[in-house]
Amino acid sequence: MGQLDQFDREILIRLEKDGRIAFSTIAASLGISNTMVHQRVAKMTEQGILSGIKPILNEKKIGYDWGSFTGITLEKDHNSARIIEALKLVPEVTECYFITGRYTLFLKIVARDHEHMREILYSKIDLIPGIAKTDSIIELGCAFRRNIAL
């Protein structure tokens, strides 16, 4: 994966501020061609630096008032690929991380209310074969969320 130059950084900074900004607007502000912006964005996408430009939903504003961070203990860690595929089928699981320590996986889960959270944990996640235990911490609100500074 190549290094980011100043044009790449400036393009990413502008896209982070407004993912809907026209490439022609970025090009004009940087004094480069529209084609160059398209090529740079395509290259950064191909390299995996830019994984997409999509909306960031505020779950609470659309009825998902509960959130949890849930550690998953597996019966056998070598089952993680199969279990991750099963977790992908649970739409309320919005993030899944490999971690070190007492859990194998760490999830971010969103739910409408406490009954919905219980249903997700007990009727969806706990029934996935190979999951030995879940341990959840209820999220009370996001203080901030951001990308790494460029």
Side-chain angles (χ1 to χ4, degrees), residues 33-53:
S33 72
N34 194 18
T35 302
M36 184 175 174
V37 175
H38 279 278
Q39 290 171 342
R40 295 293 184 112
V41 169
K43 182 180 96 180
M44 289 186 284
T45 302
E46 182 181 299
Q47 292 175 335
I49 294 168
L50 185 60
S51 61
I53 300 170

Side-chain angles (χ1 to χ4, degrees), residues 89-138:
L89 299 175
V90 180
E92 297 89 353
V93 175
T94 59
E95 298 177 48
C96 179
Y97 297 91
F98 291 106
I99 61 168
T100 62
R102 73 189 225 203
Y103 308 114
T104 304
L105 301 170
F106 207 66
L107 311 177
K108 171 70 167 126
I109 303 170
V110 296
R112 292 183 300 278
D113 52 38
H114 74 279
E115 291 292 326
H116 187 213
M117 181 64 74
R118 186 176 57 153
E119 176 189 331
I120 295 163
L121 290 169
Y122 296 158
S123 300
K124 294 181 179 181
I125 294 174
D126 281 351
L127 295 181
I128 296 172
I131 291 182
K133 181 182 172 203
T134 62
D135 188 8
S136 296
I137 301 168
I138 298 303

Side-chain angles (χ1 to χ4, degrees), residues 11-19 21 23 26 41 53:
I11 291 167
L12 290 173
I13 287 168
R14 283 160 177 77
L15 286 172
E16 185 177 14
K17 285 181 186 170
D18 179 4
I21 190 172
F23 287 177
I26 295 172
V41 169
I53 300 170

Side-chain angles (χ1 to χ4, degrees), residues 7 18 21 53 58 63 73 75 101-102 107 125 139 146 148:
F7 285 120
D18 179 4
I21 190 172
I53 300 170
N58 181 333
T73 303
E75 290 171 1
R102 73 189 225 203
L107 311 177
I125 294 174
E139 170 257 311
R146 64 179 173 201
I148 189 74

